[in-house]
Amino acid sequence: MAAERTVRVWEWIAAAHDGDGPVSVAAVCRAAVRWLGVDGASVTAMSGPVAREPLFASDELSARLEDLQFTTGEGPGAGDFRLGAPELIADLELAAGRWPGFAPAAVAAGARAMFVAPLPAGAIRVGVLTLYRAKPGPLAAGELADLLVMAGIALQMLLDAAAGVSGRPGYRPLDGLSGSRAEVYQAAGMIAVQLGVSLEEASVRLRARAFASGAELGDVAEDVVSRRLRFDPDPEPDPEPLG
């Protein structure tokens, strides 16, 4: 039964493939939207608590949801997934207490349900496959099983790309990789030097500035890189008067 499901999901991915080039994670996302009853899908690669790189998003809202999670440090795709279990959020409005920064913003943007499958390689989380729906409601049991198969296929594509494995000439499973985060990481590095803090702390400060100002994270990063914005160390507290 598991083998039959895998074959069927591969057929979906092949059918969702666009163009004459090799199959990529883009086809995985398109297949999820077409056959799992969701409105959008994305794949994001990770290489630590700071680095998140969107590889493909099927639509503008999928990309927005990933950006919101990166900016707020919250959301179903921002956890550590130590147990390797998916995050299945049937109604984001009910998750506001858990993710006060992310959930209301995601609902306002148009998402009401999210389903996130981790892409783990042993104890290492390589990335996540994220689906959303515009209406609340859970995945059916069969849809969840198909999601997990798709996540396994997406994981293999990421691992193949990292290892330089090529099934045929021109094999590029990560087609669609965006360079949009390079400036964010550069800005975090500059902030780390300005404040004398770790890269992770600098990334938190950058995301907090974007969230507090309501600006896009990339716009704030661009201001830092272009030196229009500088982060200054917190002032030392005034000494307590001697009694």
Side-chain angles (χ1 to χ4, degrees), residues 12-228:
W12 291 347
I13 293 171
H17 177 47
D18 186 19
D20 298 328
V23 177
S24 70
V25 293
V28 176
C29 293
R30 294 190 190 104
V33 173
R34 190 174 299 180
W35 279 282
L36 299 189
V38 296
D39 295 295
S42 65
V43 172
T44 299
M46 300 177 179
S47 58
V50 173
R52 295 172 62 97
E53 182 64 44
L55 302 181
F56 182 82
S58 65
D59 64 309
E60 185 176 342
L61 182 49
S62 288
R64 176 62 177 155
L65 292 172
E66 164 54 28
D67 192 58
L68 280 171
Q69 291 187 99
F70 185 70
T71 301
T72 63
E74 298 178 355
D80 59 14
F81 292 94
R82 290 179 182 175
L83 300 179
E87 281 271 20
L88 308 174
I89 311 301
D91 191 343
L92 277 168
E93 281 194 346
L94 302 180
R98 182 179 180 187
W99 299 310
F102 171 78
V107 171
R112 283 296 304 275
M114 287 182 67
F115 315 103
V116 180
L119 311 181
I124 300 172
R125 181 175 49 151
V126 177
V128 290
L129 170 60
T130 302
L131 316 180
Y132 84 85
R133 278 181 178 155
K135 296 182 178 180
L139 288 176
E143 291 169 340
L144 175 57
D146 292 335
L147 168 61
L148 296 179
V149 173
M150 288 183 178
I153 293 171
L155 170 63
Q156 191 58 57
M157 289 180 174
L158 266 64
L159 294 178
D160 285 352
V165 174
S166 176
R168 60 177 182 271
Y171 178 61
R172 297 183 299 275
L174 302 189
D175 274 4
L177 178 64
S178 168
S180 61
R181 290 283 162 83
E183 197 164 47
V184 173
Y185 301 142
Q186 182 181 356
M190 293 175 65
I191 295 168
V193 173
Q194 292 169 7
L195 300 181
V197 299
S198 69
L199 186 60
E200 184 172 359
E201 172 66 17
S203 179
V204 170
R205 296 285 190 99
L206 176 63
R207 297 198 307 265
R209 175 66 67 91
F211 183 71
S213 65
E216 294 289 337
L217 182 63
D219 292 341
V220 178
E222 182 181 356
D223 286 343
V224 173
V225 172
S226 63
R227 293 176 170 78
R228 292 191 296 268

